Amino acid sequence: MAVGAFALLITASPWRRERIFAYLNPWEESNALGKAYQLTHSLIAFGRGEWTGVGLGGSIEKLHYLPEAHTDFILAVIGEEFGYVGVLVVIILFYWLVRRSFNIGRTALQLDRTFAGLVAKGIGVWVGWQTFINMGVNLGLLPTKGLTLPLVSYGGSGILMNCVALAILLRIDYENRVMMRGGKV
């Protein structure tokens, strides 16, 4: 039913249909200069970066070719300046952050701190999904969404909420460590 509803929504409105077709074929000339402009320039940035990148500050795509390069498409700029190696480092760091939050949540659950454990795991899921969606959009695996890369993209409210979530995660970890040493929280 969900696939049928999705197909009906796409066929019912021409602008949705154009966005889906632009995502499916971004290199068609009308799409590359229109609806898929960001995606094509993101892929160009990744291609220019190759293995080790063009160097810090050497990105050409961030000079107004790639709109919103400092927010939604910061990974493409990282890919252009630091190459495959830089993107791999960013992916590994986010993997470590998500895995660490799940470990903190598991420890809290083992200490019978159910709410704290679920909050820690929820923060891990939140950061992981947001990262996955942003990276998927930058690499052309998902349609453009406008979702920032946590802790990396420029933005006031997004970075503030990510820092608040990390502060909560650090507090849960601190309380876990205190309880494991026999102290009271």
Side-chain angles (χ1 to χ4, degrees), residues 93-113:
L93 289 173
F94 274 111
Y95 171 77
W96 177 82
L97 178 64
V98 171
R99 184 176 171 99
R100 186 71 186 116
S101 65
F102 272 89
N103 288 340
I104 291 169
R106 187 183 68 232
T107 303
L109 289 171
Q110 289 171 346
L111 294 170
D112 287 333
R113 302 181 64 231

Side-chain angles (χ1 to χ4, degrees), residues 43-63:
L43 296 174
I44 290 169
F46 281 115
R48 281 196 74 237
E50 295 182 357
W51 287 100
T52 57
V54 295
L56 182 61
S59 172
I60 292 177
E61 288 298 321
K62 70 180 177 186
L63 302 175

Side-chain angles (χ1 to χ4, degrees), residues 3 9 28-29 32-33 43 46 69 80 87 94 96-97 126 140 146 151 153-154 181:
V3 172
L9 285 173
E28 182 180 319
E29 187 174 346
L33 299 175
L43 296 174
F46 281 115
E80 185 176 10
V87 172
F94 274 111
W96 177 82
L97 178 64
W126 173 39
L151 304 170
S153 295
Y154 173 82
R181 279 188 246 131

Side-chain angles (χ1 to χ4, degrees), residues 69-78 90-91 93-94 97 130-131 134-135 148-155 158-159 162-163 166:
H70 59 289
T71 57
D72 302 349
F73 287 90
I74 190 72
L75 188 69
V77 174
I78 292 170
V90 170
I91 291 171
L93 289 173
F94 274 111
L97 178 64
Q130 191 171 346
T131 301
N134 181 277
M135 289 180 178
T148 59
L149 187 62
L151 304 170
V152 179
S153 295
Y154 173 82
I159 196 82
N162 287 316
C163 287
L166 286 183

Side-chain angles (χ1 to χ4, degrees), residues 138-157:
N138 274 259
L139 295 169
L141 302 174
L142 297 171
T144 305
K145 294 281 175 229
L147 197 61
T148 59
L149 187 62
L151 304 170
V152 179
S153 295
Y154 173 82
S157 60

